[in-house]
Amino acid sequence: MADPALAVASNISELVGRTPLVNLARLFPEAPQTVLMKLEMFNPGFSAKDRTAASLVESAFAAGQLQLGGTVVESSSGNLGLALARSCLQREVRFICVADSRTNKATIAMMRALGADVRIVEIDQAGGSDLLAARLKEVRRIVGSIPGAVNLNQYENPANPQAHEFGTMAEIAEQANGRIDQLFVATSTTGTLTGCRNYIDKKGLKTRVTAVDSEGSALFGGSPHTRYLPGLGAGLETHLSTRARPDQVMRVSEADCVRGCRLLARREAIIAGASTGGVVAAVRSRLPRLDPSDTVVLIAHDGGMPYAETVYDDAWVHEVLGLTREQAEGWL
């Protein structure tokens, strides 16, 4: 039988999912636990949002909500926008992405390369409220101005968590032979978290789920304030987030996201995005209190190349977060 990994895909969308799980033996060398990482940057669009985009688009076609030649309008801080740009292009659908001033420039450029119409909103467009609120307000305006335009609404659509219930978490369980004592998941829409939780509950697994959220996020009753790194946390609660059921919530600073990214890069040669740095920071803090025999799984939600000018840039880290290079690499 031919190796499925060597088979020829009919198009790039067939390559979504089946991402690797890797043993992080060098990340925390003194820890007795087994620490594994699900590498979602191996998806075609370099993030877990490829799964979400595929699920959103296909469910909309299946329901008759979307047809060839239609228009999708969606709010995104970056990764979902890139994933939808590819999915919509291949499905012959126009895509308008409403991003904001925090969105990585590289991600905006890649969306436009795939034919997306990217609109950037500023905080004053929502009367001084959060950037997410500004994006959602602009989405509603655009949808109302284009006949037949569809907002897939990643913040409420059940197709979002389903992508991770039947994809991400099912794969982790198979790859880890069902032994996952602790799962650490970064949060934004909480689609990944909710999907993983649903799988765990339905299969009767004993996995304890930790939601990793950003300081300054409104999720889980947090107090929102200005954040500079996209992809972790949210400025307001959403339909999905109010129904998310983590066993524990850990909040991390953006400084610790930087430290976590740089630790992962230098010890494991994995260049990951800011939210993954936050997950690394949460696990680093939590490991001393976990059972030594635990198998701990971290989800790396995206790759780090779009963060070259932020997380991995000493000048940006110093100017925006006030960290010297020594402080940014303080865990090395």
Side-chain angles (χ1 to χ4, degrees):
M1 182 180 294
D3 182 348
L6 301 178
V8 177
S10 61
N11 61 70
I12 195 169
S13 292
E14 288 188 358
L15 302 179
V16 174
R18 304 308 304 171
T19 56
L21 190 70
V22 63
N23 188 355
L24 303 181
R26 299 175 61 184
L27 184 61
F28 304 113
E30 305 303 320
Q33 296 89 354
T34 297
V35 180
L36 309 174
M37 178 172 276
K38 182 69 164 165
L39 299 177
E40 288 296 281
M41 69 278 285
F42 277 71
N43 281 303
F46 321 114
S47 84
K49 294 294 188 179
D50 273 335
R51 301 178 189 268
T52 308
S55 185
L56 292 173
V57 170
E58 293 310 314
S59 66
F61 268 98
Q65 182 185 17
L66 190 61
Q67 297 83 32
L68 293 179
T71 299
V72 166
V73 185
E74 190 68 27
S75 158
S76 173
S77 62
N79 284 328
L80 182 71
L82 179 58
L84 280 174
R86 179 182 47 73
S87 291
C88 289
L89 175 66
Q90 293 201 303
R91 282 299 229 141
E92 300 181 36
V93 170
R94 180 190 182 195
F95 176 50
I96 301 173
C97 180
V98 180
D100 62 54
S101 53
R102 294 178 308 169
T103 306
N104 295 314
K105 293 178 182 178
T107 303
I108 293 172
M110 287 188 286
M111 281 192 276
R112 287 175 171 156
L114 291 171
D117 178 355
V118 184
R119 315 279 180 92
I120 307 297
V121 301
E122 303 290 344
I123 191 126
D124 56 8
Q125 288 180 248
S129 62
D130 180 79
L131 283 167
L132 174 56
R135 296 202 317 257
L136 295 176
K137 179 181 179 181
E138 182 65 4
V139 166
R140 290 191 293 271
R141 187 195 69 77
I142 296 171
V143 169
S145 69
I146 301 175
V150 173
N151 172 220
L152 300 178
N153 196 355
Q154 63 167 321
Y155 309 100
E156 295 189 14
N157 197 323
N160 179 350
Q162 286 168 4
H164 304 286
E165 177 182 348
F166 302 114
T168 312
M169 192 63 214
E171 290 175 19
I172 292 172
E174 179 185 353
Q175 291 165 318
N177 295 318
R179 176 66 190 275
I180 313 111
D181 299 294
Q182 305 285 339
L183 180 71
F184 286 75
V185 186
T187 58
S188 53
T189 67
T190 70
T192 306
L193 171 71
T194 299
C196 290
R197 171 94 272 171
N198 289 345
Y199 181 94
I200 288 165
D201 290 347
K202 289 177 183 178
K203 296 296 183 180
L205 303 182
K206 302 301 182 182
T207 307
R208 183 175 175 82
V209 181
T210 297
V212 180
D213 193 22
S214 175
E215 292 179 359
S217 167
L219 300 178
F220 310 110
S223 300
H225 61 69
T226 301
R227 292 170 290 115
Y228 299 99
L229 293 170
L232 183 63
L236 50 85
E237 289 272 20
T238 66
H239 177 84
L240 283 178
S241 71
T242 57
R243 290 159 175 77
R245 295 171 291 108
D247 295 297
Q248 176 179 246
V249 176
M250 294 184 69
R251 300 191 190 278
V252 295
S253 68
E254 292 189 310
D256 280 353
C257 290
V258 170
R259 294 185 182 103
C261 281
R262 295 193 179 200
L263 181 70
L264 182 65
R266 292 285 288 276
R267 290 194 177 170
E268 295 285 356
I270 296 172
I271 306 295
S275 66
T276 302
V279 172
V280 170
V283 171
R284 179 179 180 272
S285 171
R286 187 67 182 160
L287 275 178
R289 297 188 291 279
L290 298 182
D291 190 298
S293 66
D294 276 356
T295 294
V296 181
V297 177
L298 299 67
I299 297 180
H301 293 259
D302 64 351
M305 289 302 292
Y307 299 84
E309 295 181 348
T310 54
V311 169
Y312 297 99
D313 183 80
D314 291 340
W316 185 92
V317 169
H318 183 261
E319 178 182 350
V320 177
L321 301 182
L323 300 178
T324 64
R325 181 174 183 176
E326 291 72 22
Q327 290 171 324
E329 298 182 350
W331 294 347
L332 298 178

